[in-house]
Amino acid sequence: MGFLVERAVIVGVHEQKDQHFEYAMEELKNLAKAIDVEVVGEVTQNMEKRNPSTYVGKGKMEEIQNFYEELDANLVIFNDELSPSQIRNLERELDCKVIDRTMLILDIFVRRARTSESRMQVELAQLQYMLPRLVGLRASLGRQGGGAGGGVQNKGAGETKLELDRRKIEDQISKLGRDLDHVKDQRETQRKQRKKSGIPVVSIVGYTNAGKSTIMNKLLLKMDVDNAKQVYEEDMLFATLDTSIRKVKLEDNKEFILTDTVGFVSKLPHHLVKAFRSTLEEARDADLLLHVVDVSNSEHGYMMEVTNDTLQAVGVENVATLNIYNKADLADVPYPVVSDDSVWISAREGKGLDELIELIKKKIFEQYSTCKLLIPFDRGDIVSYLNDKANVKSTEYEEDGTLMTVEMDISERAKIEEFIVSH
């Protein structure tokens, strides 16, 4: 049996106030491509606001239908989240499979989820999306059901089945909620331990496909070759959904933790943001955010806005941020260039990474200071502790002990205060 290729017509309503409509349609195409759906046609309509019952105006329905038949499509994708009644009306009028932007994004997430946590998060978002759309069918099923009396004892078979489905979904939602709370507690514990260890956390955020995984991989290779376990990268939307956490040890013994997060996209479904909340909260406790931007995209300003709004929605505020304008090689702008808290780089070419590393170090190791210590010979434990934990600039042996010049985190100073001879 041949595999049915999905051929879609995409439909969007351009409301007057929407300045990013063309881009959203372009993105819808890419989202469809990400799950191997071939977009064969596009229908758009300018309206003051979307039609509450059929999304598009009545005249457009015919155009969509003709287009759909002419192009031998088997799917129509709408650029916004549709209400339960809109889906019902559209399916009835167009007599074909209808999906909206939210379903499309959820489908991509289902396919990309690798860890059990991200799978649970996506399933939860899917079920929460489906539930009201099941309930929305009650009216039409009720009409087929039991005659004028239509009381509880007189339900149509379809309606009883629906109630069972509904209960099943509600049970599954509560179960997933409990399981995710458990995972969230574990994550919270791990975060507290990381906080307690005093090792700074740097978190990579940004729009999907801006180059976050490429940057993470290149940084790991450059800074910590021995431990550079690579993360998955691919030139497509939402290539990675799972948070990667890597500990980086620099050559001067300074350490930090590098984490990345799921990419953002415009009109990211509300349920999905909620479901991924605990993953996105990784960024909330970071000491520094690296906001990766595809500077070669003409809409990159808007993408930054979407990322910032989504971060704010999950409570990520007042975290020091570096803006990393990636793909500068495709943008016809000079690079590598550093300006305040921004850096223009090309991760693909590996240009600008050294500048970026210097910026990161400057930001997260601000609280480091250099001091001179004289450590008695019988305190070899302190010497090995410093060799392991601090950046040792020089070591000399005097008759009273070991004289060391070290650069280290101020918070560690208390442990060695008694041996400090000068700052």
Side-chain angles (χ1 to χ4, degrees):
M1 203 177 92
F3 177 69
L4 178 70
V5 177
E6 294 211 275
R7 293 165 60 81
V9 171
I10 59 173
V11 179
V13 166
H14 187 176
E15 294 182 319
Q16 281 175 340
K17 59 180 193 301
D18 186 1
Q19 298 162 12
H20 303 285
F21 176 72
E22 279 84 12
Y23 175 67
M25 290 299 284
E26 186 57 35
E27 189 168 79
L28 189 66
K29 236 179 256 174
N30 291 331
L31 289 166
K33 203 168 93 188
I35 52 167
D36 306 317
V37 171
E38 188 188 344
V39 174
V40 290
E42 179 176 319
V43 176
T44 62
Q45 181 170 24
N46 295 328
M47 290 172 94
E48 198 145 322
K49 60 187 228 286
R50 304 193 282 267
N51 184 321
S53 64
T54 51
Y55 181 74
V56 289
K58 286 275 178 275
K60 276 287 164 190
M61 293 287 266
E62 265 171 60
E63 194 183 320
I64 295 169
Q65 208 156 14
N66 296 338
F67 219 37
Y68 177 83
E69 284 161 11
E70 206 178 293
L71 296 164
D72 193 25
N74 48 18
L75 176 66
V76 180
I77 306 174
F78 288 81
N79 187 34
D80 293 277
E81 187 166 306
L82 299 170
S83 70
S85 62
Q86 283 174 329
I87 290 182
R88 213 171 43 246
N89 296 337
L90 286 164
E91 289 199 324
R92 191 180 57 233
E93 299 265 334
L94 296 171
D95 193 25
C96 69
K97 186 177 166 194
V98 164
I99 71 169
D100 63 12
R101 189 184 178 99
T102 298
M103 283 162 147
L104 186 58
I105 293 174
L106 286 170
D107 196 1
I108 296 173
F109 272 58
V110 167
R111 297 179 193 211
R112 301 279 190 269
R114 299 270 178 276
T115 60
S116 66
E117 183 185 9
S118 61
R119 282 200 189 107
M120 287 193 292
Q121 288 170 323
V122 176
E123 191 188 342
L124 180 62
Q126 254 189 330
L127 293 173
Q128 286 170 329
Y129 172 84
M130 269 167 62
L131 192 60
R133 284 154 184 82
L134 268 187
V135 178
L137 291 168
R138 290 183 83 173
S140 58
L141 284 170
R143 282 197 296 276
Q144 304 157 12
V152 176
Q153 73 288 2
N154 204 2
K155 284 183 183 162
E159 199 171 352
T160 317
K161 162 97 171 66
L162 187 68
E163 298 233 324
L164 286 172
D165 286 348
R166 205 183 139 192
R167 205 159 311 140
K168 257 205 319 253
I169 290 180
E170 282 171 341
D171 290 346
Q172 185 61 1
I173 286 176
S174 342
K175 183 187 176 303
L176 284 167
R178 285 194 302 275
D179 293 347
L180 280 168
D181 279 344
H182 179 61
V183 177
K184 192 179 168 188
D185 292 342
Q186 289 175 322
R187 213 181 245 291
E188 210 40 61
T189 310
Q190 288 164 353
R191 272 208 288 264
K192 280 193 181 122
Q193 283 166 343
R194 287 209 291 272
K195 235 18 201 167
K196 223 161 86 184
S197 73
I199 299 176
V201 175
V202 176
S203 200
I204 301 177
V205 297
Y207 211 78
T208 181
N209 215 17
K212 294 186 297 300
S213 301
T214 309
I215 285 178
M216 186 159 184
N217 286 335
K218 292 278 170 87
L219 287 177
L220 289 170
L221 271 174
K222 228 172 174 17
M223 296 186 290
D224 200 354
V225 183
D226 305 337
N227 300 314
K229 190 171 154 223
Q230 299 287 283
V231 299
Y232 181 72
E233 55 178 271
E234 179 84 46
D235 181 22
M236 63 181 176
L237 300 182
F238 302 117
T240 40
L241 289 190
D242 303 304
T243 307
S244 306
I245 297 174
R246 303 281 190 270
K247 191 172 183 180
V248 179
K249 189 163 187 171
L250 301 168
E251 63 288 348
D252 58 7
N253 275 333
K254 290 192 185 114
E255 288 180 319
F256 66 91
I257 286 162
L258 190 60
T259 75
D260 70 350
T261 54
V262 57
F264 302 132
V265 65
S266 68
K267 306 184 192 183
L268 196 61
H270 161 73
H271 293 310
L272 212 49
V273 174
K274 237 170 65 181
F276 273 84
R277 197 183 172 104
S278 66
T279 318
L280 295 171
E281 279 172 353
E282 285 291 340
R284 203 176 61 187
D285 292 332
D287 297 277
L288 179 65
L289 295 183
L290 306 181
H291 184 165
V292 179
V293 183
D294 173 0
V295 72
S296 71
N297 192 309
S298 59
E299 289 275 358
H300 69 266
Y302 172 57
M303 294 170 164
M304 291 178 82
E305 222 174 280
V306 170
T307 301
N308 290 330
D309 290 349
T310 313
L311 285 170
Q312 222 171 345
V314 291
V316 181
E317 286 170 316
N318 307 323
V319 181
T321 304
L322 295 177
N323 290 326
I324 300 166
Y325 295 101
N326 187 29
K327 307 192 188 181
D329 52 317
L330 308 174
D332 201 22
V333 292
Y335 68 99
V337 171
V338 177
S339 161
D340 298 332
D341 290 341
S342 300
V343 57
W344 280 258
I345 72 167
S346 163
R348 205 175 48 125
E349 294 179 348
K351 287 187 181 156
L353 293 170
D354 291 330
E355 289 81 348
L356 172 56
I357 292 168
E358 282 316 305
L359 262 185
I360 294 172
K361 282 168 38 175
K362 204 169 97 188
K363 278 281 175 203
I364 56 177
F365 299 123
E366 276 172 332
Q367 76 287 24
Y368 271 58
S369 69
T370 305
C371 51
K372 213 173 225 176
L373 307 157
L374 184 62
I375 298 142
F377 289 122
D378 61 351
R379 294 304 306 270
D381 57 319
I382 298 287
V383 175
S384 56
Y385 168 77
L386 288 170
N387 278 322
D388 190 35
K389 289 283 184 202
N391 176 17
V392 177
K393 303 212 168 204
S394 69
T395 306
E396 295 162 37
Y397 299 100
E398 312 262 303
E399 48 195 77
D400 308 340
T402 310
L403 188 66
M404 297 175 87
T405 305
V406 300
E407 180 191 27
M408 65 188 304
D409 193 325
I410 292 168
S411 62
E412 303 276 332
R413 289 262 304 254
K415 297 180 185 144
I416 49 144
E417 201 65 63
E418 55 183 299
F419 307 115
I420 294 179
V421 285
S422 71
H423 296 289

